[in-house]
Amino acid sequence: MSTTEAGETGMRTQSSAFAVQPILSTNDIERLSSFYAELFGAEEDLRVPGRKGPFFVTLRFGDATLTLVATKRGAEAAPGQAVVAVFVENVDDLLPRVKPAGGKVRGQAKDMPWGHRVAHITDPDGNLLNLTQKL
């Protein structure tokens, strides 16, 4: 079993280039962000603006992070559902392997303005995953 250390986002294992980051969909980022700040002392680490408020906010809890994403624009999951971002070396190399492994590709990879390349996929049970690569 490998130990873990905090990566820039999410948790990264020492024996792997992968990191995993939970993402919660919400229709009120400010309300949900305040909840985690008040209850757990979370601090805002990153805020990406949208047209009508933030598109997503990353909160830091010590060495861990949690991202909140607005359902009003670009969110894959409805409020109350989670998306897991899996940080990988190369998104485009993994996409052809998703279907043979039993998953589904929901769209091609796209470069995001905050410096990540992201492709939306589902696992065999339909859970939403974002394959995410730092650019």
Side-chain angles (χ1 to χ4, degrees):
M1 179 177 227
S2 66
T3 59
T4 60
E5 63 182 36
E8 273 191 40
T9 53
M11 294 300 292
R12 185 175 306 278
T13 64
Q14 288 178 349
S15 63
S16 171
F18 294 100
V20 176
Q21 178 182 24
I23 301 171
L24 300 179
S25 293
T26 179
N27 57 15
D28 191 338
I29 283 182
E30 299 299 349
R31 182 199 67 215
L32 204 55
S33 180
S34 293
F35 169 82
Y36 285 103
E38 289 177 31
L39 192 60
F40 302 111
E43 296 181 5
E44 192 170 297
D45 194 45
L46 176 65
R47 177 178 286 249
V48 175
R51 290 186 201 137
K52 297 178 182 178
F55 172 63
F56 75 73
V57 171
T58 298
L59 303 173
R60 183 162 298 281
F61 300 75
D63 292 338
T65 61
L66 172 69
T67 295
L68 310 177
V69 66
T71 57
K72 57 190 165 200
R73 184 173 166 262
E76 285 289 310
Q81 293 183 333
V83 176
V84 176
V86 181
F87 287 80
V88 299
E89 295 273 332
N90 189 310
V91 168
D92 297 294
D93 286 350
L94 281 181
L95 279 178
R97 296 172 45 197
V98 171
K99 189 174 180 181
K104 179 180 176 186
V105 175
R106 298 176 56 91
Q108 294 305 310
K110 297 179 185 174
D111 292 342
M112 301 300 183
W114 52 87
H116 292 157
R117 183 163 178 79
V118 177
H120 303 291
I121 68 168
T122 56
D123 69 14
D125 287 342
N127 295 304
L128 299 166
L129 304 173
N130 287 351
L131 296 180
T132 306
Q133 171 188 342
K134 285 182 70 177
L135 296 175

